[in-house]
């Protein structure tokens, strides 16, 4: 099961890198959690833009980004001060099949594939980072100290 999830995540990351490596953008997969870095870093040197991207894909109705992965992205944006514009992008892909567990049995039902790219901004560096949740409809929530609140993260258009 882990290999299926890992391969699903790799495929989504690979596709994102391919999309970004066009025109003025240069993107690279960094290895994600095993390296302590974001999944993808992309730059547009002409426009002085840096993106630290955390990519998640799933067959369920909700996808979560843990705080440590948000911290890694935030650290990259702080590290490259030379860029005028720096963004943390949370990329969510909901697969074309939905996993349902009914009476202990796992079933998969077809649905439309959906992708969301959300910009995560902080007014100041938080003492503790939230868990970010995105649902199939694209609504986003911050989970902090066991409290959930809806947050309206702006959409980002992948070039």
């Amino acid at each position: 099961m882990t290999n299926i999830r890992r391969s699903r995540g790799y495929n989504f990351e690979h596709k994102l890198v391919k999309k970004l490596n066009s025109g003025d953008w240069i993107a690279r997969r960094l290895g994600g959690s095993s390296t302590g870095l974001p999944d993808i870093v992309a730059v547009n040197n002409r426009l002085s833009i840096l993106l630290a991207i955390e990519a998640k894909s799933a067959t369920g109705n909700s996808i979560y980004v843990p705080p440590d992965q948000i911290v890694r992205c935030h650290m990259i944006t702080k590290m490259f001060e030379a860029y005028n514009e720096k963004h943390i992008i949370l990329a969510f892909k909901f697969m074309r099949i939905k996993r349902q567990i009914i009476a202990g049995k796992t079933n998969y039902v077809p649905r439309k594939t959906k992708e969301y790219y959300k910009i995560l901004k902080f007014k100041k560096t938080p003492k503790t980072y939230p868990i970010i949740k995105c649902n199939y409809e694209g609504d986003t929530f911050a989970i902090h100290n066991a409290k959930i609140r809806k947050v309206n993260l702006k959409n980002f258009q992948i070039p």
Side-chain angles (χ1 to χ4, degrees):
M1 186 65 123
T2 301
N3 287 338
I4 291 170
R5 283 190 207 132
R6 192 171 291 141
S7 124
R8 186 171 52 223
Y10 173 82
N11 290 337
F12 182 40
E13 291 169 17
H14 182 72
K15 182 182 134 192
L16 273 174
V17 167
K18 270 182 91 168
K19 273 185 185 179
L20 284 162
N21 277 325
S22 62
D24 293 327
W25 288 91
I26 302 166
R28 294 290 177 267
R29 281 189 71 250
L30 299 180
S33 61
S34 64
T35 62
L37 296 168
D39 292 328
I40 300 166
V41 169
V43 295
N44 182 319
N45 289 315
R46 187 177 63 77
L47 298 175
S48 188
I49 302 171
L50 174 128
L51 307 176
I53 303 170
E54 194 57 46
K56 300 283 179 207
S57 62
T59 57
N61 283 331
S62 297
I63 300 175
Y64 298 85
V65 181
D68 63 309
Q69 294 176 8
I70 295 168
V71 169
R72 291 194 302 247
C73 290
H74 197 235
M75 285 173 43
I76 290 295
T77 63
K78 294 296 179 197
M79 190 171 146
F80 291 94
E81 288 294 323
Y83 287 90
N84 293 332
E85 216 176 299
K86 300 174 288 281
H87 300 291
I88 297 170
I89 305 297
L90 303 180
F92 301 99
K93 181 177 182 178
F94 292 89
M95 306 300 282
R96 66 178 175 80
I97 55 170
K98 176 184 171 188
R99 180 176 39 97
Q100 292 181 323
I101 300 172
I102 301 170
K105 288 185 128 185
T106 303
N107 297 314
Y108 293 92
V109 293
R111 67 175 177 188
K112 183 180 175 185
T113 299
K114 290 189 179 183
E115 291 181 15
Y116 301 102
Y117 304 95
K118 302 289 187 170
I119 301 171
L120 181 60
K121 284 192 181 282
F122 296 104
K123 291 178 183 163
K124 61 182 184 173
T125 302
K127 288 183 175 124
T128 58
Y129 289 77
I131 298 167
I132 298 294
K133 171 186 171 182
C134 181
N135 65 21
Y136 182 73
E137 289 75 32
D139 300 319
T140 49
F141 304 85
I143 304 169
H144 202 267
N145 297 326
K147 293 180 184 167
I148 300 174
R149 70 177 171 88
K150 187 171 184 175
V151 291
N152 293 315
L153 301 181
K154 288 185 181 179
N155 291 314
F156 181 81
Q157 184 65 44
I158 294 290

